């Protein structure tokens, strides 16, 4: 495990499908009662459910929390540019 991997680690906690908490959140991109889309330090998160409400977000420390009936969470990693991958050491 590298230092970069540790610094971009994301903690996700889902409590009884009623509350979700995440760290390393940079921004809230979209939200409705059925879906919340977040930008994370190393990708994006898509939270699906019903009656979703954001109860806390701190851009300063990257913490986020929401309540509602949480049906699922999907993560997608940031994609590196092909040129960067080809010439990375």
């Amino acid at each position: 495990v590298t230092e970069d991997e540790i610094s971009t680690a994301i903690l996700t906690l889902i409590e009884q499908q009623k509350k979700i908490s995440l760290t390393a959140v940079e921004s809230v991109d979209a939200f409705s009662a059925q879906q919340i889309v977040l930008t994370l330090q190393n990708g994006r998160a898509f939270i699906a459910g019903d009656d979703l409400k954001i109860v806390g977000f701190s851009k300063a420390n990257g913490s986020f929390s929401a309540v509602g009936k949480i049906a699922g969470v999907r993560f997608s990693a940031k994609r590196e540019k092909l040129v960067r991958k080809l010439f990375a050491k």
Side-chain angles (χ1 to χ4, degrees):
V1 177
T2 68
E3 187 175 326
D4 287 336
E5 290 171 329
I6 293 170
S7 67
T8 58
I10 299 168
L11 174 63
T12 305
L13 176 64
I14 301 173
E15 299 174 29
Q16 298 179 353
Q17 291 185 293
K18 295 179 183 176
K19 181 177 180 182
I20 184 167
S21 300
L22 290 97
T23 61
V25 177
E26 293 182 348
S27 66
V28 178
D29 300 328
F31 64 93
S32 69
Q34 290 79 35
Q35 183 176 21
I36 300 172
V37 181
L38 307 170
T39 295
L40 309 173
Q41 289 177 354
N42 61 356
R44 297 184 86 190
F46 303 85
I47 304 166
D50 289 310
D51 299 320
L52 297 175
K53 294 177 187 146
I54 297 171
V55 294
F57 171 58
S58 171
K59 187 170 182 126
N61 66 16
S63 63
F64 171 88
S65 59
V67 295
K69 184 176 180 186
I70 297 157
V73 181
R74 184 172 55 91
F75 293 95
S76 67
K78 281 186 181 176
R79 296 182 182 163
E80 289 187 51
K81 292 183 179 178
L82 182 58
V83 174
R84 189 173 183 183
K85 284 184 177 181
L86 290 174
F87 298 103
K89 291 184 179 183

